[in-house]
Amino acid sequence: MKIESVELKRVSIPLKKPFKTALRRVDTAENIIVVMTADDGTRGYGEAPPTAAITGDTNETITSAIKEFIAPAITGLDIENLDEVMYRLQRSVEGNTSPKAACDMAVYDLWSKHYGQPLYKLLGGYRKDLETDLTISINEPEEMRRDALAAIGQGFHALKLKVGIDSDLDIERVRTIREAAGPDIKLRLDANQGWTPEEAIRTIRRFEDLGLDIEFVEQPVKARDFAGLKKVHDNVSSRIMADESMFSPADAIELLHMEAVDLINIKLMKCAGIHNALKIVGIAETYGVECMLGCMIESKVSLTAAAHLAAAKKNITRVDLDAAILLAEDPVKGGFKKEIPHFFVTDAPGLGITGIEGLMEL
Ligand SMILES: [Mg+2]
């Protein structure tokens, strides 16, 4: 089976409610869809969202990177030689992690369809059932409390609270939600780089003193401040997770060798796809560190690829694939099955995606 063409389309899907973090706000997912066709007519699907604030990728750069560099580098290659395809894909252009991820997952979709197996089985086949948390956007404490209670009412057992804008207010946000949620709900915090190291240490210690029982704190400080991350890690007892600090396998080695974090958050859009994500999972496992699989504001196309990866690997112990629930519509046919708060990968070949409604020309 040879890769014959790489076509690009776009989707536009409104969110139920604006997604707000210390870094950005999103109202509508305006994402690029990759439709990769093999010489026997089989189709593989991929997706990249424009997450300029984190990856630097916009829809314009995603489109041009695929058209000018990635597609020409892999067109005509035999899917059975997966390592050659991935070698060329990853070296086709510097950076551009989201367009690489979109093409990487379309290749994996074709590859697993070629062998007639669901992707998760070919990658390791550890489980089929994933439980996701739900993100609560950063807002006034009272609004966040209402959103948290609504999420618990829907059946979620873990909430990821966005913090990192004004640490006094952050204390109030978390305190109010812990009070309303009771002791059995897991609370994860994500500061999205919003604190300085000193502010992070002070704030996290206050969470600890108040007994707010935080499962972990994600990305307290600036992405490239590895020393700051280590300082926070060394001065609090809560577990610290790297997100924006950890893009590549090399970042994972550096952070884990420094003992700067306790957990890492892998996102396909940061690490340029499944090929590199597998390396990161292996590095983390070697260091005895567990991974979470997270996402950007993505539709069920790339979320299904992420779900197959998470299902495949024992060392991916948490998933934060809630974009599927934040979106108001689901135009994707097939893919994972959703039963809040669980996602199940299916045994259909590849990603199991059979079509996408409302695809628009670029
Ligand atoms: Mg994060």
Side-chain angles (χ1 to χ4, degrees):
M1 183 192 273
K2 290 200 165 89
I3 299 170
E4 194 169 80
S5 68
V6 181
E7 260 185 292
L8 300 181
K9 306 279 184 190
R10 62 188 181 91
V11 285
S12 175
I13 311 169
L15 271 72
K16 290 176 188 157
K17 180 178 168 126
F19 178 80
K20 291 196 262 177
T21 76
L23 281 178
R24 63 195 188 115
R25 171 190 168 122
V26 184
D27 295 274
T28 307
E30 303 272 3
N31 300 351
I32 301 291
I33 299 291
V34 168
V35 184
M36 195 175 285
T37 308
D39 56 356
D40 67 353
T42 308
R43 283 180 167 182
Y45 293 100
E47 175 180 12
T51 317
I54 298 166
T55 63
D57 300 314
T58 66
N59 278 351
E60 289 70 27
T61 65
I62 291 166
T63 304
S64 63
I66 294 175
K67 282 188 176 167
E68 286 176 44
F69 300 103
I70 304 170
I74 60 172
T75 303
L77 296 185
D78 193 329
I79 209 79
E80 285 191 5
N81 194 346
L82 182 67
D83 225 39
E84 173 76 9
V85 177
M86 287 301 157
Y87 184 89
R88 294 208 191 183
L89 189 159
Q90 290 298 333
R91 278 156 190 78
S92 60
V93 57
E94 185 55 39
N96 288 284
T97 54
S98 306
K100 283 178 183 167
C103 292
D104 159 289
M105 68 183 72
V107 169
Y108 273 102
D109 190 15
L110 283 179
W111 177 71
S112 40
K113 280 177 177 159
H114 178 60
Y115 292 110
Q117 294 293 326
L119 179 58
Y120 83 96
K121 277 196 184 170
L122 296 182
L123 296 180
Y126 187 71
R127 58 175 91 75
K128 284 185 79 168
D129 174 4
L130 304 164
E131 180 175 343
T132 186
D133 59 19
L134 187 74
T135 299
I136 306 296
S137 279
I138 189 160
N139 281 302
E140 289 302 308
E142 179 50 28
E143 182 172 355
M144 289 180 73
R145 189 185 72 90
R146 280 200 305 272
D147 289 345
L149 285 176
I152 294 164
Q154 275 183 279
F156 289 98
H157 303 124
L159 303 178
K160 184 158 119 175
L161 313 180
K162 292 293 192 181
V163 294
I165 304 179
D166 185 336
S167 49
D168 283 336
L169 210 50
D170 286 336
I171 302 284
E172 188 53 23
R173 290 179 170 109
V174 180
R175 198 189 53 75
T176 309
I177 292 171
R178 174 53 81 199
E179 232 171 61
D184 297 335
I185 299 294
K186 281 184 186 151
L187 297 183
R188 307 167 169 178
L189 305 188
D190 188 357
N192 286 107
Q193 314 177 45
W195 297 320
T196 63
E198 293 68 29
E199 196 180 8
I201 293 165
R202 218 168 38 239
T203 310
I204 295 167
R205 283 184 177 170
R206 283 184 66 194
F207 293 135
E208 292 169 354
D209 292 344
L210 289 166
L212 296 176
D213 189 18
I214 303 304
E215 189 189 2
F216 59 79
V217 181
E218 193 175 321
Q219 199 63 46
V221 303
K222 292 272 173 284
R224 299 316 299 172
D225 187 7
F226 286 15
L229 205 52
K230 177 162 175 61
K231 189 171 174 189
V232 176
H233 168 271
D234 289 352
N235 284 283
V236 299
S237 47
S238 304
R239 284 184 291 183
I240 304 298
M241 177 184 279
D243 181 7
E244 291 96 314
S245 290
M246 209 274 326
F247 269 55
S248 64
D251 291 336
I253 291 172
E254 192 173 346
L255 287 166
L256 298 181
H257 187 68
M258 284 172 72
E259 297 182 25
V261 292
D262 306 284
L263 297 161
I264 55 182
N265 185 351
I266 300 174
K267 294 175 181 167
L268 296 179
M269 297 305 145
K270 292 186 298 171
C271 70
I274 293 166
H275 180 70
N276 279 343
L278 291 167
K279 296 180 194 173
I280 296 171
V281 175
I283 291 163
E285 196 175 2
T286 307
Y287 280 92
V289 165
E290 293 176 2
C291 303
M292 180 164 85
L293 201 71
C295 61
M296 305 298 186
I297 300 299
E298 304 168 33
S299 85
K300 214 170 67 187
V301 175
S302 46
L303 291 177
T304 297
H308 275 263
L309 171 64
K313 291 294 170 192
K314 183 174 188 293
N315 196 40
I316 298 177
T317 52
R318 295 171 178 83
V319 300
D320 174 29
L321 297 177
D322 60 351
I325 293 148
L326 304 176
L327 298 180
E329 295 157 17
D330 177 14
V332 181
K333 301 290 155 220
F336 65 73
K337 297 221 180 319
K338 187 171 78 181
E339 211 173 291
I340 289 174
H342 297 272
F343 292 165
F344 302 91
V345 290
T346 72
D347 283 336
L351 300 176
I353 292 168
T354 51
I356 305 163
E357 282 176 0
L359 280 184
M360 294 179 285
E361 297 303 319
L362 285 181

